[in-house]
Amino acid sequence: QLLIIDDEQRFGVKQKEKLRQMKANVDVLSLSATPIPRTIYLALSSFKKMSLIRTPPRGRQAVKTEILPYSEKLIKKIINTELKRKGQIYLLHNRIETIEKASEKIRSLCKRAKVGMIHGRMQEKKLLKVMDDFQKEKTNILVATTIIENGLDLPNVNTIIIEDATRLGLAQAHQIRGRVGRSSTKSYAYFLYDPQKMTPLA
């Protein structure tokens, strides 16, 4: 018998132990894009075997990651650059209360942008319609919360802009960056921060 735990970093120690106790003598394979410190410690101590998959799928390029101070001028430039090469963009705005204002701001910054918006409190039918339009390239920018974190594989989305990136944990930031770069096209991830709240070193 084999138990496969995907996205291991999302499970706590108690949860994983409970899963293992459900059956006796089960082999466990844990998968993680961002191994948690305890897993790394167990691997380095030889209590757990760890393998690294270093080879990307054929034709894939590494995501170019930039950490920059927030500015509307920069966002406009990033959007126009991606739209010129006929690509699509995720814009992560992780506050439901202000996500509509963020969508309006993008529309005013870039007149040719066709903007969709999703978050976790939307009605399912509406959410599916917005995602379907984005997948069919009827819209070219998707303003979203971290609802986009898992399971999306859209090869034409090659730029992601994360507003207020300091609110994300490292594992979550790594996971979100993985939403782009799903094809052979060069992709970009822009993690933006408020320069008044963060030092360049931080």
Side-chain angles (χ1 to χ4, degrees):
Q1 295 176 344
L2 175 65
L3 168 64
I4 301 174
I5 301 173
D6 195 8
D7 275 342
E8 185 204 23
Q9 75 276 4
R10 294 185 163 276
F11 290 83
V13 175
K14 285 181 182 177
Q15 290 170 313
K16 282 183 272 192
E17 288 305 320
K18 200 168 184 178
L19 284 166
R20 287 191 196 102
Q21 287 166 12
M22 291 168 102
K23 298 267 186 181
N25 305 316
V26 175
D27 291 319
V28 179
L29 175 65
S30 299
L31 309 173
S32 178
T34 48
I36 56 175
R38 184 174 182 271
T39 301
I40 294 169
Y41 169 75
L42 290 170
L44 292 173
S45 307
S46 302
F47 290 114
K48 198 173 194 176
K49 288 181 184 174
M50 188 182 230
S51 299
L52 298 176
I53 300 173
R54 295 181 182 273
T55 311
R58 190 175 292 168
R60 290 268 176 97
Q61 298 183 53
V63 178
K64 183 166 174 50
T65 306
E66 302 265 12
I67 300 167
L68 300 165
Y70 176 93
S71 90
E72 288 185 5
K73 190 178 175 182
L74 173 67
I75 289 175
K76 185 176 181 177
K77 184 183 173 188
I78 293 166
I79 289 171
N80 284 330
T81 300
E82 186 57 52
L83 294 184
K84 272 180 194 170
R85 56 178 201 161
K86 305 211 182 320
Q88 291 170 283
I89 301 152
Y90 291 125
L91 187 134
L92 187 99
H93 180 92
N94 204 27
R95 286 200 190 112
I96 292 174
E97 300 77 25
T98 54
I99 197 167
E100 285 192 31
K101 280 184 183 175
S103 301
E104 287 305 319
K105 189 191 289 179
I106 296 304
R107 286 186 187 97
S108 65
L109 276 177
C110 192
K111 302 297 181 191
R112 57 194 205 134
K114 292 174 279 180
V115 182
M117 181 197 75
I118 60 164
H119 57 75
R121 290 189 202 151
M122 285 175 74
Q123 290 180 345
E124 189 180 354
K125 279 185 181 178
K126 190 175 180 185
L127 194 148
L128 290 172
K129 171 77 170 71
V130 174
M131 281 310 302
D132 190 53
D133 285 350
F134 191 59
Q135 194 167 7
K136 290 175 178 170
E137 299 177 34
K138 291 179 182 176
T139 54
N140 46 29
I141 300 177
L142 185 66
V143 179
T145 59
T146 50
I147 194 170
I148 62 167
E149 190 174 345
N150 290 307
L152 295 179
D153 190 358
L154 303 176
N156 197 44
V157 187
N158 292 300
T159 293
I160 185 164
I161 302 165
I162 297 105
E163 290 186 350
D164 205 0
T166 55
R167 291 176 165 266
L168 301 177
L170 282 176
Q172 196 174 33
H174 190 79
Q175 193 78 15
I176 285 167
R177 187 182 66 161
R179 294 308 97 212
V180 294
R182 318 293 287 187
S183 70
S184 58
T185 306
K186 185 69 182 169
S187 55
Y188 300 87
Y190 297 92
F191 290 83
L192 308 183
Y193 63 90
D194 183 342
Q196 293 182 328
K197 294 179 184 174
M198 280 266 290
T199 65
L201 179 61

